[in-house]
Amino acid sequence: DAGITQSPRHKVTETGTPVTLRCHQTENHRYMYWYRQDPGHGLRLIHYSYGVKDTDKGEVSDGYSVSRSKTEDFLLTLESATSSQTSVYFCAISKTGSDQPQHFGDGTRLSIL
Amino acid sequence: SQQGEEDPQALSIQEGENATMNCSYKTSINNLQWYRQNSGRGLVHLILIRSNEREKHSGRLRVTLDTSKKSSSLLITASRAADTASYFCATDRPNGNEKLTFGTGTRLTIIP
């Protein structure tokens, strides 16, 4: 299995608080992605990174920010969490983008009360 | 936005039978990928098929791609209880080489 670790695996927090999720890889892959998965919507891309300090928005980026200061770490931040951001969040990595498979972490289940 | 849509949404079959899932998409692609997701886990890559390929095999999996109909199918032969999972197709974008768009998945249940 590809070396991808997401932390925390579960989190419960309150509306209005900041939340940071971490994705750590040991594969030295260039691309890293953050998705959210909700019933009826499948996986939707939030943000992705194509290198250190290089990031771009996905289809559901409002309310989220990301940072990648090292190849191995990709952080997703909810600046002020809302109940609509309750979801399961997945990180994925890929060597060279969409022409190669993506390898996924086991997800973070985030509940915002 | 371009999206793969799987059909059916849910499928239940007896162990040993074959399972077929379909994916349709809207615009041209460079490649299409299939993934499996077991309950509570991340997605696992199964097969990548490129736009110039028509069929690809991996063990009990067979994927076909018909670019004229903008559709793909995933066939699992001789199904096993362990095949119970959700299956997703994902497509790339014609002018981009970085992002995938996932469908909403087919939930496959294998009845022992």
Side-chain angles (χ1 to χ4, degrees):
Chain A
D1 289 347
I4 309 168
T5 305
Q6 291 187 233
S7 59
R9 292 295 315 280
H10 302 271
K11 186 173 182 65
V12 179
T13 190
E14 294 183 347
T15 300
T17 60
V19 177
T20 296
L21 308 183
R22 180 183 184 233
C23 178
H24 178 79
Q25 62 147 327
T26 58
E27 305 297 319
N28 200 35
H29 283 1
R30 179 183 175 192
Y31 286 83
M32 299 185 76
Y33 305 83
W34 277 109
Y35 294 92
R36 60 178 290 174
Q37 186 175 35
D38 305 288
H41 289 278
L43 257 68
R44 292 181 291 174
L45 181 65
I46 305 171
H47 282 281
Y48 69 101
S49 169
Y50 47 97
V52 174
K53 292 185 168 49
D54 293 323
T55 65
D56 203 352
K57 296 178 180 180
E59 61 179 302
V60 291
S61 59
D62 287 349
Y64 302 94
S65 62
V66 290
S67 66
R68 191 172 179 196
S69 58
K70 299 184 291 185
T71 298
E72 58 265 36
D73 289 326
F74 192 33
L75 304 181
L76 176 71
T77 297
L78 291 65
E79 301 290 348
S80 178
T82 68
S83 58
S84 65
Q85 294 175 312
T86 292
S87 186
V88 181
Y89 291 84
F90 288 98
C91 174
I93 64 174
S94 175
K95 277 187 181 178
T96 57
S98 60
D99 61 339
Q100 290 290 321
Q102 291 188 8
H103 304 282
F104 284 78
D106 277 336
T108 294
R109 185 171 296 274
L110 178 63
S111 296
I112 306 189
L113 307 177
Chain B
S1 62
Q2 175 181 321
Q3 181 177 26
E5 296 183 359
E6 291 89 346
D7 171 62
Q9 291 188 339
L11 178 64
S12 293
I13 61 173
Q14 295 291 136
E15 192 168 19
E17 294 180 339
N18 296 341
T20 300
M21 288 157 273
N22 302 296
C23 170
S24 60
Y25 56 92
K26 297 176 184 176
T27 64
S28 61
I29 60 172
N30 295 314
N31 70 73
L32 183 145
Q33 303 184 34
W34 283 92
Y35 289 80
R36 183 188 75 234
Q37 184 180 32
N38 292 96
S39 182
R41 303 297 302 274
L43 278 68
V44 174
H45 179 261
L46 296 175
I47 289 183
L48 182 153
I49 186 166
R50 303 196 186 278
S51 60
N52 61 352
E53 298 175 310
R54 291 296 167 259
E55 189 170 311
K56 211 162 182 180
H57 295 256
S58 177
R60 294 183 295 112
L61 307 181
R62 173 181 169 241
V63 167
T64 61
L65 179 64
D66 186 335
T67 52
S68 67
K69 295 181 179 179
K70 292 185 173 58
S71 68
S72 173
S73 67
L74 170 66
L75 169 67
I76 304 174
T77 60
S79 63
R80 305 167 181 170
D83 294 327
T84 293
S86 292
Y87 292 81
F88 296 87
C89 67
T91 53
D92 68 345
R93 296 172 183 267
N95 298 321
N97 202 28
E98 300 172 328
K99 297 180 282 191
L100 294 177
T101 302
F102 287 82
T104 52
T106 292
R107 175 68 189 169
L108 175 65
T109 302
I110 308 300
I111 304 167

